[in-house]
Amino acid sequence: MKTALVWFRRDLRLADNPALSHALERAERILAVYIGGFEAPGTEPGAASRWWLHQSLTAFAADLNQRGAELVIRRGEPAKVLGQLAKEQGAEAVFWNRLYEPAQDAADRKTCDSLIAAGLEVQTYNGALLAEPWEIQTQTGGPYRVYTPFSRNVRARGAPRSPLPAPRRIPGLAAQSLSIDSLGLLPRIRWDAGMSRMWTPGEAGAHRRLGRFCDEALHDYSAGRDRPDQLLTSLLSPHLHFGEIGPVQVLARLQRELAEQHGPGVSAGAEAYEREILWREFAHHVIYHYPTTPTEPMDPRFAGFAWRQPREYAADLARWQRGATGVPIVDAGMRQLWSTGWMHNRVRMIVASFLSKNLLIPWQEGAAWFLDTLVDADLAANSMGWQWVSGSGADAAPYFRIFNPVTQSQKFDPQGRYLRQWVPEIAALPDKLVHAPWLLGPAESARQKIDYPVPSVDLGESRARALQAFDLIKQRAS
């Protein structure tokens, strides 16, 4: 084969890229293509993800250039764009890595059929997961809805393959291309300074982040991963989402750490982080088999849950989004999200529980906000997380889980360092009060000149209200 197109999407890396590797084995020269502005419904990137995508495309184009290729950028319906490029270049085949969101999968199948009908060969690969969703089945032949047996199944299969090396040289072709700037991914009013300081999008940034995690945090990860006041998480989630690094590479690095370093800390940390990678895998398998997961409860009982109506909760939702609820751990998380495009996972659970349980606001509202503001806004993981916290999802607890934000804050940020960083209004309070400043009372708050709101809901009363709503749907179901 003389010429092939390689269509890049959320696989913006050179190493361990199956579509790129196989195209280079089959074709004498390739044309690297990115198509903007035509995402499948429900998969459109939010504002924070668009910022990341701009940076990631810039880094990826530079990596391609160093190896002799150019990233050709077009806009439009993929089948038409790829068909036109194939005609221009005399290409015989199109290679790409699969995406698994239901709407995207359906769109890709139509693109594939259209290109085949036009006489092109189409080859697609798994570059995003450890196993295909249709490969992992229960003993009865169906998909898993519970994480633990799913993870056992995936582990039992062993490593799917060794990571593929990056090509040293790419015999690339050039074609008329749009600029990355023309995709309009960056905000017109620049609010991204905090994200620019925190993140280095791109394949090199992903591997530096993984190296830092293994060298500096892996030993303490198992014990400290729930502490937002300590930098012990990997921060790899946006790099994984955009495919700047893949789960096969991450697990291979963990195995290397286990082989080279001994001690209970490294072993426990690697095992704990592997569980997080498998949870991501589980989310993608669930959304593939249950395509309504992003919008509808997996537990049908929750279709009748007594959520408040939009006119009733609009003000509370706005306060939650701004980080102005009066509950410090909730506000700290929401402000961290707005500033950096990211939030610690433990805090994500707390703010989600507060929204869906204490405020009785439908989880879909929170999921939509996260999709717009997270740099790692992954539809599968985001939907899974929100359904899990709300109690309606796969692998939900047999009881109605309601996080107490005060005790969670006291347990996982005992000195209040995280709270003081993101909620400076209460920084001067002693540790005993920083988690619940309303205990000061209005007079003392005024005396100390603390300009911080009182919570709009009583935590105890709102918890009881949520439990009552859950009891009601249980009674209806029985």
Side-chain angles (χ1 to χ4, degrees):
M1 181 187 303
K2 286 191 175 182
T3 304
L5 308 182
V6 182
W7 180 23
F8 293 93
R9 281 99 63 81
R10 293 201 301 274
D11 54 345
L12 301 177
R13 65 182 186 270
L14 298 178
D16 198 49
N17 191 313
L20 176 61
S21 294
H22 285 87
L24 291 172
E25 290 175 359
R26 295 275 311 280
E28 295 178 11
R29 53 194 182 184
I30 69 162
L31 184 70
V33 184
Y34 180 84
I35 302 172
F38 207 91
E39 292 81 10
T43 67
E44 304 92 341
S49 292
R50 288 166 64 84
W51 174 87
W52 188 287
L53 178 57
H54 178 96
Q55 317 299 332
S56 188
L57 285 170
T58 301
F60 184 59
D63 291 342
L64 285 170
N65 284 336
Q66 289 181 353
R67 289 163 174 80
E70 293 185 16
L71 182 62
V72 174
I73 296 174
R74 296 284 178 93
R75 296 178 67 99
E77 195 275 317
K80 292 181 180 179
V81 172
L82 294 170
Q84 180 61 38
L85 279 169
K87 185 177 180 181
E88 292 174 9
Q89 302 292 331
E92 303 161 65
V94 184
F95 294 72
W96 72 73
N97 292 311
R98 290 185 282 275
L99 297 175
Y100 298 92
E101 296 92 346
Q104 189 62 63
D105 179 61
D108 287 354
R109 291 176 187 273
K110 290 182 179 180
T111 298
C112 179
D113 291 343
S114 177
L115 295 175
I116 291 174
L120 290 165
E121 177 185 344
V122 176
Q123 296 290 340
T124 68
Y125 302 89
N126 174 13
L129 300 176
L130 300 172
E132 302 284 17
W134 51 87
E135 293 176 344
I136 307 299
Q137 298 180 340
T138 65
Q139 292 182 349
T140 59
Y144 283 95
R145 288 175 61 103
V146 179
Y147 167 75
T148 300
F150 169 86
S151 64
R152 290 196 191 109
N153 189 321
V154 177
R155 279 197 183 96
R157 293 163 58 92
R161 55 177 171 77
S162 298
L164 301 167
R168 294 183 178 179
R169 192 73 181 165
I170 299 175
L173 293 168
Q176 185 177 3
S177 174
L178 300 173
S179 68
I180 295 173
D181 287 340
S182 72
L183 296 176
L185 298 170
L186 294 176
R188 293 181 179 178
I189 300 175
R190 300 306 295 268
W191 43 257
D192 54 325
M195 294 194 297
S196 297
R197 286 192 296 269
M198 180 169 179
W199 302 104
T200 306
E203 187 172 6
H207 284 276
R208 283 197 297 271
R209 184 72 75 178
L210 177 59
R212 184 210 63 81
F213 172 63
C214 290
D215 294 342
E216 301 175 12
L218 185 59
H219 186 276
D220 298 313
Y221 176 76
S222 180
R225 64 192 180 92
D226 282 318
R227 295 283 299 270
D229 60 336
Q230 299 178 10
L231 190 59
L232 293 174
T233 56
S234 73
L235 299 175
L236 277 176
S237 52
H239 298 287
L240 282 164
H241 174 66
F242 285 95
E244 298 166 351
I245 195 169
V248 171
Q249 295 170 293
V250 174
L251 290 188
R253 176 62 186 265
L254 291 179
Q255 289 301 314
R256 196 178 92 193
E257 292 296 320
L258 287 172
E260 294 178 355
Q261 301 185 40
H262 300 283
V266 171
S267 177
E271 291 174 5
Y273 192 66
E274 182 186 41
R275 289 195 295 271
E276 296 302 313
I277 295 297
L278 292 177
W279 179 261
R280 172 186 179 272
E281 184 89 3
F282 182 48
H284 281 270
H285 285 233
V286 167
I287 197 175
Y288 179 85
H289 292 293
Y290 301 98
T292 61
T293 301
T295 56
E296 298 177 18
M298 294 189 69
D299 184 340
R301 296 177 302 172
F302 278 81
F305 192 77
W307 303 111
R308 294 161 68 197
Q309 295 301 308
R311 65 180 181 278
E312 299 171 334
Y313 65 67
D316 280 335
L317 176 62
R319 282 190 285 267
W320 178 84
Q321 292 170 336
R322 296 196 310 269
T325 68
V327 180
I329 189 67
V330 174
D331 293 343
M334 298 306 294
R335 296 180 190 188
Q336 180 186 34
L337 171 62
W338 186 256
S339 176
T340 68
W342 183 84
M343 189 192 303
H344 189 280
N345 186 60
R346 169 58 59 171
V347 185
R348 294 189 197 200
M349 292 188 284
I350 297 169
V351 304
S353 177
F354 183 79
L355 183 81
S356 60
K357 306 293 178 57
N358 297 99
L359 297 180
L360 280 188
I361 295 176
W363 60 266
Q364 292 92 334
E365 292 275 20
W369 184 253
F370 272 23
L371 285 176
D372 190 44
T373 54
L374 283 169
V375 291
D376 62 1
D378 185 280
L379 183 65
N382 189 57
S383 303
M384 171 76 80
W386 275 95
Q387 290 233 34
W388 183 85
V389 172
S390 73
S392 63
D395 209 33
Y399 55 91
F400 199 50
R401 180 190 293 106
I402 302 177
F403 288 88
N404 183 314
V406 176
T407 56
Q408 289 280 308
S409 180
Q410 291 169 338
K411 181 177 181 180
F412 297 114
D413 185 27
Q415 284 78 47
R417 287 194 291 264
Y418 179 75
L419 300 184
R420 291 184 172 93
Q421 177 183 359
W422 295 107
V423 190
E425 304 99 293
I426 59 173
L429 290 178
D431 292 352
K432 184 180 296 186
L433 291 173
V434 75
H435 304 281
W438 56 87
L439 296 178
L440 273 176
E444 184 64 15
S445 293
R447 190 182 72 81
Q448 296 195 29
K449 299 181 180 180
I450 296 174
D451 184 19
Y452 187 64
V454 174
S456 59
V457 294
D458 180 276
L459 295 179
E461 292 176 0
S462 59
R463 181 181 186 276
R465 182 179 59 177
L467 288 172
Q468 185 179 22
F470 182 61
D471 286 340
L472 184 59
I473 64 171
K474 286 198 301 183
Q475 293 170 13
R476 289 173 180 168
S478 61

